[in-house]
Amino acid sequence: MKEQDIKAIQQLLSTPKKIAIIPHRNPDGDAMGSTLGLYHFLLKNGHQAVVVSPNEFPDFLAWMPSSNTVKIFEKDKINCTKILEEAELVFTLDYNALHRVGEMENILSELKAPFIMIDHHQSPDDYAAYTYSDIAFGSTCEMLYNFICFLGKKSDIDKTIATCIYTGILTDSGSFRFPKTTGTTHRIIADLIDLGVENTEIPTLVYDNSSYGRLQLLGRALQNMKVLAAHKTAYTKLTQEELNTFDHIKGDTEGIVNYGLSIKGIVFTAIFIENAEEKIIKISFRSQGNFDVNQFARNNFSGGGHRNAAGGKSELSMEETVNKFEDLVSKIEI
Ligand code: 5GP
Ligand code: MN
């Protein structure tokens, strides 16, 4: 981060303020970890902070410290709008374009308060007064740790803040396996464990929180998988009817996309999930190595993300979407 930005932010935070902290729509472990970690840090520094999420967060993150204080815009638009309009400072964490907050975009784009962005995606938009954006990082939570250190407040990181940061690093690094996991990541993790983070319990809370229905849904997704061996690609799909059959709840499909990559020789995977309410097919892409799924999602499915993990959507039917995907895959070098 630029020295002058750090000084300006230190100045902003030197007097108590009303602060809104905003994750992206469909917040994941990194979005929830970074916003709640920052929330606890700001409270400790005398501010009035609130996390306002565009929509509900998944159940497997409900154990996170103070997740019960998170305001859900979709459920309480009047109060959330008031909080946003009264905020003197706004943090947006784990995304870099305001359309990622969905309907809340209209409100955010009208606010007069300065924005601070902390994020690790490519090509940040220019809406923030202070932007800490770096694609070298595997998670926003790792950047939040640095951000707190830049402010000279490392000693404020207690077990609660450490727990939030740990969770985001854990989930966004695929349990410390993805390529952006560095020695520094592990040194930060070591520091967090020394602060008391329950490093064996948290992965259990996050990953071993399944229901029978979720396992059956996973089984169905694995059975639906199609392998395009010549193109080193595997994909699967879940229709709304299948989701309903297994009493799907938010978060149940998280991580299923990765299974395709466990097949020897497969370097590109996708999952297509029907959302009847929004009339879209939500898509997740993953790759191993050089194939850039961020570009693929941007070019073909109105999405984006990172080189090895991205998402997008399609307004075509499931069948048409899958056909389009197969057609695209057959024409590119993977
Ligand atoms: P996931 O597949 O886990 O939903 O998302 C993987 C990555 O792609 C995340 O970094 C997420 O922020 C990004 N991503 C997912 N969906 C979209 C989308 O519709 N648009 C953009 N720009 N990025 C997305
Ligand atoms: Mn992230």
Side-chain angles (χ1 to χ4, degrees), residues 24 99-100 121 282-286 302-306 309-312:
H24 52 77
H99 67 84
R100 295 293 315 282
H121 293 87
K282 181 70 192 134
I283 316 168
S284 289
F285 300 107
R286 297 291 185 271
S302 319
H306 314 269

Side-chain angles (χ1 to χ4, degrees), residues 16-21 39 42-43 45-50 83 86-89:
K17 290 210 161 38
K18 288 184 177 169
I19 303 178
I21 311 169
Y39 164 84
L42 292 173
L43 286 198
N45 281 273
H47 301 285
Q48 243 180 291
V50 190
I83 292 167
E86 285 177 358
E88 298 162 275
L89 184 60

Side-chain angles (χ1 to χ4, degrees), residues 314-331:
S314 161
E315 283 163 12
L316 303 171
S317 70
M318 178 65 92
E319 198 188 344
E320 289 166 328
T321 304
V322 165
N323 287 343
K324 173 177 168 181
F325 176 75
E326 283 208 23
D327 190 49
L328 286 163
V329 166
S330 72
K331 288 180 181 143

Side-chain angles (χ1 to χ4, degrees), residues 24 28 30-31 94 120-121 138-140 172 306:
H24 52 77
D28 57 5
D30 193 29
D94 201 34
H120 65 133
H121 293 87
S139 65
T140 299
D172 255 28
H306 314 269

